[in-house]
Amino acid sequence: MILINLLPHREAARKRARESFYVTLGFAALVGGLISGSVFLWFQNEITLQQSKNTYLTGEVKKLESQIKDIAGLQTEIAALRARQQAVEDLQADRNLPVHLLNELVRQLPDGVYITNMKQENQSVEIKGQAQSNERISELLRNLANNSIWLTRPELGEIVATNIAVSPKEQRRVASFTMRIGLVRASQVGKAASAAGSPVPAKPTVAGKT
């Protein structure tokens, strides 16, 4: 017996194809959703971990900043203590500066020059004196500038020609001058002597005595 299918087989095939496409599409969407969800969760987990690391690093940075502030405070205190120590050492060393000053002036004064007044303010000394001529004053300037480790930067203030009475009947013309010189600290003299490789004066001596 021959069976003849009178149903529209083409419509049935199309229907089966559509159903298969929809099933495949739904499966693909489900797989895509699962993959997207997994990737999203992985990224969320990585973000959470990174945020946790950032929070930890921020806390450590704050601790380091606090420690750096403490170290800076300690360095400031150390610098202040060193400055005080240097000030005390300078004061102790500067007690002998007047003796060095007098010694150097006696050594560097050329013949025909004598001092009438001297005033010291910190590391600056003002000298007033008289000389037989301007050449004597120039020689004194050169001596103070080049031949002394305790005196520095001599500056001539003024020169005035005056007459002085040598005897009741005789007057002599001299040059009155004002000069300012710098007095070098003992610590600076020690540094300069060390750099030059020469010995530092152990103690001051009064001119003409040991």
Short mmCIF file of all heavy atoms in Angstrom, two decimals, residues 109-117 127-134 136-137 140 158-166 172-179:
data_model
loop_
_atom_site.label_atom_id
_atom_site.label_comp_id
_atom_site.label_asym_id
_atom_site.label_seq_id
_atom_site.Cartn_x
_atom_site.Cartn_y
_atom_site.Cartn_z
N LEU A 109 102.56 96.44 61.10
CA LEU A 109 102.72 97.89 61.04
C LEU A 109 104.10 98.25 60.49
O LEU A 109 105.13 97.86 61.07
CB LEU A 109 102.55 98.50 62.43
CG LEU A 109 101.13 98.75 62.93
CD1 LEU A 109 101.17 99.32 64.34
CD2 LEU A 109 100.37 99.68 62.00
N PRO A 110 104.17 98.98 59.42
CA PRO A 110 105.48 99.43 58.92
C PRO A 110 106.02 100.58 59.78
O PRO A 110 105.28 101.19 60.56
CB PRO A 110 105.17 99.88 57.49
CG PRO A 110 103.72 100.18 57.47
CD PRO A 110 103.06 99.37 58.54
N ASP A 111 107.28 100.84 59.62
CA ASP A 111 107.89 101.98 60.33
C ASP A 111 107.21 103.27 59.89
O ASP A 111 106.89 103.46 58.72
CB ASP A 111 109.39 102.05 60.04
CG ASP A 111 110.14 100.86 60.61
OD1 ASP A 111 109.61 100.26 61.58
OD2 ASP A 111 111.22 100.52 60.08
N GLY A 112 107.02 104.15 60.83
CA GLY A 112 106.41 105.44 60.51
C GLY A 112 104.91 105.42 60.58
O GLY A 112 104.26 106.39 60.17
N VAL A 113 104.30 104.34 61.08
CA VAL A 113 102.85 104.25 61.23
C VAL A 113 102.56 103.85 62.68
O VAL A 113 103.17 102.92 63.21
CB VAL A 113 102.23 103.22 60.27
CG1 VAL A 113 100.72 103.12 60.50
CG2 VAL A 113 102.52 103.58 58.83
N TYR A 114 101.64 104.54 63.30
CA TYR A 114 101.24 104.14 64.65
C TYR A 114 99.74 104.36 64.80
O TYR A 114 99.12 105.17 64.11
CB TYR A 114 102.03 104.89 65.72
CG TYR A 114 101.88 106.39 65.71
CD1 TYR A 114 100.95 107.02 66.52
CD2 TYR A 114 102.69 107.18 64.90
CE1 TYR A 114 100.80 108.40 66.52
CE2 TYR A 114 102.56 108.56 64.90
CZ TYR A 114 101.62 109.17 65.71
OH TYR A 114 101.49 110.53 65.70
N ILE A 115 99.16 103.57 65.72
CA ILE A 115 97.71 103.54 65.91
C ILE A 115 97.35 104.42 67.10
O ILE A 115 97.97 104.35 68.16
CB ILE A 115 97.23 102.10 66.13
CG1 ILE A 115 97.47 101.27 64.86
CG2 ILE A 115 95.74 102.07 66.48
CD1 ILE A 115 97.19 99.81 65.03
N THR A 116 96.30 105.22 66.92
CA THR A 116 95.82 106.10 67.99
C THR A 116 94.53 105.59 68.63
O THR A 116 94.24 105.91 69.78
CB THR A 116 95.58 107.51 67.44
OG1 THR A 116 94.61 107.46 66.38
CG2 THR A 116 96.87 108.10 66.91
N ASN A 117 93.76 104.79 67.87
CA ASN A 117 92.48 104.32 68.41
C ASN A 117 92.10 103.03 67.70
O ASN A 117 92.37 102.86 66.51
CB ASN A 117 91.39 105.39 68.22
CG ASN A 117 90.07 104.99 68.87
OD1 ASN A 117 89.28 104.26 68.31
ND2 ASN A 117 89.85 105.49 70.08
N ILE A 127 90.26 100.88 62.88
CA ILE A 127 91.55 101.38 63.34
C ILE A 127 91.70 102.83 62.90
O ILE A 127 91.42 103.17 61.74
CB ILE A 127 92.70 100.53 62.77
CG1 ILE A 127 92.61 99.11 63.29
CG2 ILE A 127 94.04 101.15 63.12
CD1 ILE A 127 93.63 98.18 62.67
N LYS A 128 92.15 103.64 63.82
CA LYS A 128 92.50 105.02 63.50
C LYS A 128 93.97 105.22 63.86
O LYS A 128 94.44 104.73 64.89
CB LYS A 128 91.64 106.00 64.27
CG LYS A 128 90.17 105.97 63.87
CD LYS A 128 89.36 107.00 64.64
CE LYS A 128 87.89 106.96 64.22
NZ LYS A 128 87.07 107.96 64.96
N GLY A 129 94.70 105.90 62.99
CA GLY A 129 96.11 106.10 63.25
C GLY A 129 96.69 107.22 62.43
O GLY A 129 95.96 107.94 61.71
N GLN A 130 98.00 107.35 62.53
CA GLN A 130 98.71 108.39 61.78
C GLN A 130 99.96 107.78 61.15
O GLN A 130 100.53 106.83 61.69
CB GLN A 130 99.10 109.54 62.71
CG GLN A 130 97.90 110.31 63.25
CD GLN A 130 98.29 111.39 64.23
OE1 GLN A 130 99.38 111.38 64.80
NE2 GLN A 130 97.38 112.35 64.43
N ALA A 131 100.31 108.31 59.98
CA ALA A 131 101.48 107.81 59.25
C ALA A 131 102.28 108.97 58.71
O ALA A 131 101.75 110.07 58.48
CB ALA A 131 101.03 106.89 58.11
N GLN A 132 103.53 108.72 58.49
CA GLN A 132 104.41 109.77 57.97
C GLN A 132 104.06 110.14 56.53
O GLN A 132 104.31 111.27 56.10
CB GLN A 132 105.86 109.30 58.04
CG GLN A 132 106.40 109.16 59.46
CD GLN A 132 107.83 108.66 59.49
OE1 GLN A 132 108.40 108.32 58.46
NE2 GLN A 132 108.41 108.61 60.69
N SER A 133 103.48 109.19 55.79
CA SER A 133 103.14 109.47 54.39
C SER A 133 102.05 108.51 53.94
O SER A 133 101.76 107.49 54.60
CB SER A 133 104.38 109.31 53.49
OG SER A 133 104.82 107.97 53.51
N ASN A 134 101.46 108.80 52.79
CA ASN A 134 100.44 107.93 52.22
C ASN A 134 101.05 106.58 51.80
O ASN A 134 100.37 105.55 51.80
CB ASN A 134 99.78 108.59 51.01
CG ASN A 134 98.95 109.79 51.41
OD1 ASN A 134 98.61 109.96 52.59
ND2 ASN A 134 98.62 110.64 50.43
N ARG A 136 103.22 104.86 53.41
CA ARG A 136 103.24 104.00 54.58
C ARG A 136 101.87 103.34 54.80
O ARG A 136 101.77 102.17 55.16
CB ARG A 136 103.62 104.81 55.82
CG ARG A 136 104.96 105.50 55.74
CD ARG A 136 106.10 104.53 55.85
NE ARG A 136 107.38 105.23 55.95
CZ ARG A 136 108.54 104.62 56.04
NH1 ARG A 136 108.60 103.31 56.03
NH2 ARG A 136 109.66 105.31 56.12
N ILE A 137 100.84 104.11 54.55
CA ILE A 137 99.48 103.56 54.70
C ILE A 137 99.23 102.49 53.65
O ILE A 137 98.64 101.44 53.93
CB ILE A 137 98.43 104.69 54.60
CG1 ILE A 137 98.66 105.71 55.71
CG2 ILE A 137 97.02 104.11 54.67
CD1 ILE A 137 97.77 106.93 55.62
N LEU A 140 100.89 99.38 54.74
CA LEU A 140 100.10 98.72 55.79
C LEU A 140 98.94 97.94 55.20
O LEU A 140 98.66 96.80 55.60
CB LEU A 140 99.59 99.76 56.78
CG LEU A 140 98.64 99.24 57.89
CD1 LEU A 140 99.33 98.18 58.73
CD2 LEU A 140 98.13 100.39 58.74
N GLU A 158 89.38 106.85 55.18
CA GLU A 158 89.75 108.20 54.75
C GLU A 158 91.18 108.50 55.18
O GLU A 158 91.72 107.89 56.10
CB GLU A 158 88.79 109.23 55.35
CG GLU A 158 88.83 109.30 56.86
CD GLU A 158 87.93 110.39 57.42
OE1 GLU A 158 87.31 111.09 56.60
OE2 GLU A 158 87.87 110.54 58.65
N ILE A 159 91.75 109.44 54.48
CA ILE A 159 93.08 109.96 54.82
C ILE A 159 92.98 111.48 54.89
O ILE A 159 92.48 112.11 53.95
CB ILE A 159 94.15 109.55 53.79
CG1 ILE A 159 94.24 108.02 53.68
CG2 ILE A 159 95.50 110.12 54.17
CD1 ILE A 159 95.23 107.55 52.63
N VAL A 160 93.42 112.05 55.99
CA VAL A 160 93.37 113.50 56.17
C VAL A 160 94.76 113.98 56.57
O VAL A 160 95.37 113.44 57.50
CB VAL A 160 92.34 113.90 57.24
CG1 VAL A 160 92.33 115.41 57.42
CG2 VAL A 160 90.96 113.40 56.87
N ALA A 161 95.27 114.98 55.88
CA ALA A 161 96.57 115.55 56.21
C ALA A 161 96.42 116.50 57.40
O ALA A 161 95.57 117.41 57.38
CB ALA A 161 97.15 116.29 55.02
N THR A 162 97.20 116.25 58.44
CA THR A 162 97.14 117.08 59.64
C THR A 162 98.57 117.41 60.12
O THR A 162 99.54 116.78 59.68
CB THR A 162 96.40 116.37 60.78
OG1 THR A 162 97.06 115.12 61.06
CG2 THR A 162 94.96 116.11 60.41
N ASN A 163 98.66 118.36 61.01
CA ASN A 163 99.94 118.73 61.63
C ASN A 163 99.94 118.32 63.10
O ASN A 163 98.93 118.51 63.80
CB ASN A 163 100.18 120.24 61.51
CG ASN A 163 100.37 120.68 60.07
OD1 ASN A 163 100.97 119.96 59.27
ND2 ASN A 163 99.85 121.85 59.73
N ILE A 164 101.04 117.75 63.54
CA ILE A 164 101.18 117.39 64.94
C ILE A 164 102.40 118.11 65.50
O ILE A 164 103.37 118.39 64.78
CB ILE A 164 101.32 115.87 65.13
CG1 ILE A 164 102.56 115.34 64.41
CG2 ILE A 164 100.07 115.15 64.67
CD1 ILE A 164 102.85 113.88 64.73
N ALA A 165 102.35 118.41 66.78
CA ALA A 165 103.45 119.13 67.43
C ALA A 165 104.49 118.13 67.90
O ALA A 165 104.23 117.29 68.76
CB ALA A 165 102.94 119.96 68.60
N VAL A 166 105.67 118.19 67.30
CA VAL A 166 106.77 117.34 67.72
C VAL A 166 107.46 117.94 68.95
O VAL A 166 107.89 117.23 69.87
CB VAL A 166 107.77 117.16 66.57
CG1 VAL A 166 108.94 116.29 67.01
CG2 VAL A 166 107.08 116.57 65.35
N ARG A 172 105.03 118.72 62.63
CA ARG A 172 105.30 117.80 61.52
C ARG A 172 103.97 117.45 60.85
O ARG A 172 102.97 117.20 61.51
CB ARG A 172 105.99 116.54 62.03
CG ARG A 172 106.33 115.53 60.92
CD ARG A 172 107.14 114.38 61.47
NE ARG A 172 108.44 114.86 61.98
CZ ARG A 172 109.32 114.07 62.59
NH1 ARG A 172 109.04 112.79 62.79
NH2 ARG A 172 110.47 114.57 63.01
N ARG A 173 104.01 117.38 59.53
CA ARG A 173 102.81 117.05 58.76
C ARG A 173 102.70 115.53 58.64
O ARG A 173 103.64 114.86 58.20
CB ARG A 173 102.87 117.69 57.38
CG ARG A 173 101.53 117.67 56.63
CD ARG A 173 101.60 118.60 55.43
NE ARG A 173 100.33 118.68 54.75
CZ ARG A 173 99.31 119.45 55.13
NH1 ARG A 173 99.44 120.21 56.21
NH2 ARG A 173 98.18 119.50 54.44
N VAL A 174 101.55 114.98 59.02
CA VAL A 174 101.31 113.54 58.95
C VAL A 174 99.97 113.28 58.27
O VAL A 174 99.17 114.21 58.07
CB VAL A 174 101.31 112.90 60.36
CG1 VAL A 174 102.67 113.05 61.03
CG2 VAL A 174 100.21 113.50 61.22
N ALA A 175 99.75 112.02 57.94
CA ALA A 175 98.48 111.60 57.33
C ALA A 175 97.68 110.80 58.36
O ALA A 175 98.10 109.72 58.78
CB ALA A 175 98.74 110.76 56.08
N SER A 176 96.57 111.36 58.79
CA SER A 176 95.67 110.64 59.70
C SER A 176 94.72 109.77 58.87
O SER A 176 94.15 110.23 57.87
CB SER A 176 94.87 111.63 60.56
OG SER A 176 95.73 112.38 61.39
N PHE A 177 94.55 108.55 59.26
CA PHE A 177 93.74 107.61 58.46
C PHE A 177 92.78 106.84 59.34
O PHE A 177 92.97 106.69 60.55
CB PHE A 177 94.64 106.65 57.68
CG PHE A 177 95.43 105.71 58.56
CD1 PHE A 177 94.92 104.47 58.93
CD2 PHE A 177 96.69 106.07 59.04
CE1 PHE A 177 95.65 103.61 59.74
CE2 PHE A 177 97.42 105.22 59.84
CZ PHE A 177 96.90 103.97 60.20
N THR A 178 91.74 106.35 58.68
CA THR A 178 90.77 105.43 59.30
C THR A 178 90.70 104.19 58.43
O THR A 178 90.58 104.28 57.21
CB THR A 178 89.37 106.07 59.41
OG1 THR A 178 89.47 107.25 60.19
CG2 THR A 178 88.39 105.11 60.06
N MET A 179 90.77 103.03 59.05
CA MET A 179 90.81 101.77 58.31
C MET A 179 89.92 100.75 59.02
O MET A 179 89.82 100.75 60.26
CB MET A 179 92.25 101.26 58.24
CG MET A 179 92.46 100.05 57.38
SD MET A 179 94.21 99.55 57.36
CE MET A 179 94.97 101.01 56.64
#
